């Protein structure tokens, strides 16, 4: 197994140079359990542990290694184990809001090339949720592909495909049944050696079943979907990066209903390019699209050129993004204040000391 097979490239090599000078080796995180990491390396599988220093210096959960990350490891002589000293900068990442009062970012997948946003064509089907997943995916750095699974359960899967194609813009839309023998063929174009593919979506939509179809063997546990509301049972409980015969790396993840925005920015504008273009024709640059004269959005809504549902999704997403941006601003402000407090009390202590010692 070479590093290239594991997804290594020149960019990672460049950021690793300073570690190789210190005798560390690169490895990729396959899975994590309570700060114990299973790693892939060019020398085979390794057990990785975080050094005390690493844990001490990590400021947020996002600083800790996540599945898909490349890490710098010092091997323990004579063992298939080592200490993790650093995480290389991520080329792409997905996160969710960790539980707790602060909008702390928890990385659920790192360094993904293609992300399959999986929805089932059953009671789970929800174009608005697909829209939100897409917005985050565009921002993540990975290439999104929408997967409409369980097409065998839908009366008119092609109509669903057409509806989703309207919101997916340039992201491909795959309509498939994980239980159909053709399934693996459908994914074949994406199974390229060294490429990392992640499956994200709610519990029960069939992520693990799709992965088993790609692997050609039932390796991942799958579970029944609850019949009453088609909300899965959370069969997959950990994130895991798997090696496949095709040479591609495939990431299975536990069901997740939403993803998080983690940076202020452009995600909304990119997914809603059409809305954004309309808005750019408003007479006023800061148009709130409520009652200003010359509002291109209102006009498009009146003339039926903009779907009201799409407009309300856009507004909801924009609000959510603004909320997250505001929350992280508040967190940053709190942190700054804490540093100031420390500095001031440090200065006070220093002055008191100087006073006591008659230096002042
Ligand atoms: N009819 C039908 N059932 C499917 C299809 N794909 C998966 N299923 C069934 O849906 C159920 C849930 O599948 P899983 O693969 O466990 O779903 P998951 O997305 O991995 O769920 P979590 O691990 O809980 O996140 C299982 O009973 C599968 O057999 C499909 O294409 N058609
Ligand atoms: Mg699963
Ligand atoms: Zn307007």
């Amino acid at each position: 197994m070479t590093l290239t097979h594991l997804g290594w490239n020149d960019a990672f090599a460049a950021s690793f140079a300073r570690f190789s000078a210190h005798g560390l080796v690169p490895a990729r995180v396959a899975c994590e359990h309570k700060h114990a990491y299973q790693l892939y390396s060019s020398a085979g599988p390794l057990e990785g542990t975080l050094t005390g220093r690493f844990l001490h210096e990590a400021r947020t959960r996002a600083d800790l290694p996540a599945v898909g990350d490349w890490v710098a490891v010092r091997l323990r002589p004579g063992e298939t184990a080592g200490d993790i000293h650093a995480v290389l900068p991520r080329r792409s990442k997905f996160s969710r809001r960790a539980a707790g009062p602060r909008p702390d970012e928890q990385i659920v997948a790192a360094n993904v090339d293609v992300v399959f946003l999986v929805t089932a064509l059953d009671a789970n089907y929800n174009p608005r949720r697909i829209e939100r997943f897409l917005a985050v995916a565009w921002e993540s750095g990975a290439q999104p592909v929408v997967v409409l699974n369980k097409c065998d359960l839908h009366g008119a899967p092609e109509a669903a495909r057409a509806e989703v194609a309207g919101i997916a813009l340039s992201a491909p839309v795959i309509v498939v049944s994980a239980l159909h023998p053709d399934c693996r063929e459908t994914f074949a174009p994406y199974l390229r050696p060294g490429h990392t593919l992640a499956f994200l979506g709610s519990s029960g939509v069939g992520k693990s079943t799709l992965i088993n179809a790609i692997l050609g063997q039932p390796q991942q546990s799958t579970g029944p979907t609850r019949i009453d509301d088609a909300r899965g049972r959370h069969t997959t409980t950990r994130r895991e990066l798997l090696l496949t015969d095709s040479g591609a790396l495939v990431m299975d993840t536990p069901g997740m209903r939403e993803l998080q925005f983690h940076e202020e920015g452009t995600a909304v504008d990119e997914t809603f390019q059409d809305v954004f273009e309309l808005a750019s024709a408003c007479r006023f640059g800061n148009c709130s699209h409520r009652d200003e004269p010359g509002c291109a959005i209102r006009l498009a809504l009146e003339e039926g050129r903009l779907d009201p549902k799409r407009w309300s999704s856009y507004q909801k997403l924009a609000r959510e993004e603004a909320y997250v941006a505001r929350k992280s601003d508040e967190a940053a402000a709190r942190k700054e204040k804490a540093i100031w407090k420390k500095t001031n009390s440090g200065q006070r202590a220093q002055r008191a000391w100087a006073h006591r010692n008659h230096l002042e």
Side-chain angles (χ1 to χ4, degrees), residues 75-307:
L75 293 173
R76 294 197 210 116
E79 292 180 54
T80 52
D83 295 318
I84 298 174
H85 283 256
V87 176
L88 299 194
R90 299 173 174 127
R91 279 181 47 234
S92 68
K93 63 173 179 179
F94 288 90
S95 51
R96 65 172 195 181
R97 240 162 280 175
R102 287 194 307 134
D104 202 3
E105 177 187 3
Q106 182 191 2
I107 308 292
V108 295
N111 301 320
V112 173
D113 296 302
V114 176
V115 61
F116 295 107
L117 306 172
V118 188
T119 305
L121 288 174
D122 57 11
N124 175 268
Y125 176 67
N126 177 345
R128 301 304 139 201
R129 188 183 310 128
I130 298 174
E131 237 165 19
R132 293 197 294 275
F133 264 89
L134 269 166
V136 180
W138 284 121
E139 186 198 26
S140 72
Q143 183 207 329
V145 175
V146 179
V147 177
L148 303 179
N149 187 33
K150 308 197 188 183
C151 67
D152 52 301
L153 299 181
H154 197 281
E158 286 309 315
R161 181 207 293 273
E163 180 177 27
V164 172
I167 54 180
L169 304 180
S170 65
V173 180
I174 292 180
V175 179
V176 74
S177 167
L179 305 181
H180 196 278
D182 284 353
C183 181
R184 192 176 189 282
E185 248 339 275
T186 311
F187 284 92
Y190 297 99
L191 300 175
R192 292 161 54 192
H195 269 228
T196 302
L197 320 175
F199 286 77
L200 299 183
S202 307
S203 178
V205 295
K207 299 178 294 297
S208 300
T209 314
L210 288 166
I211 288 172
N212 285 339
I214 286 172
L215 293 169
Q217 60 191 34
Q219 185 177 325
Q220 293 300 96
S221 316
T222 61
T225 311
R226 281 200 304 233
I227 297 158
D228 50 345
D229 56 0
R231 272 208 276 139
R233 289 175 183 273
H234 292 278
T235 307
T236 305
T237 52
R238 55 180 198 174
R239 291 170 270 281
E240 196 172 357
L241 186 63
L242 306 159
L243 304 171
T244 71
D245 286 345
S246 63
L249 297 104
V250 172
M251 204 182 289
D252 197 0
T253 66
M256 190 166 51
R257 291 179 75 79
E258 301 294 339
L259 286 167
Q260 178 194 354
F261 284 107
H262 34 73
E263 263 141 41
E264 304 159 51
T266 51
V268 170
D269 296 343
E270 268 175 43
T271 334
F272 288 91
Q273 194 59 41
D274 50 340
V275 177
F276 191 56
E277 271 163 24
L278 280 174
S280 68
C282 291
R283 187 178 305 158
F284 301 112
N286 62 351
C287 184
S288 70
H289 319 302
R290 276 191 282 263
D291 40 29
E292 288 92 337
C295 174
I297 295 282
R298 295 248 69 95
L299 186 65
L301 284 167
E302 276 160 31
E303 292 180 352
R305 284 179 289 116
L306 175 60
D307 179 356

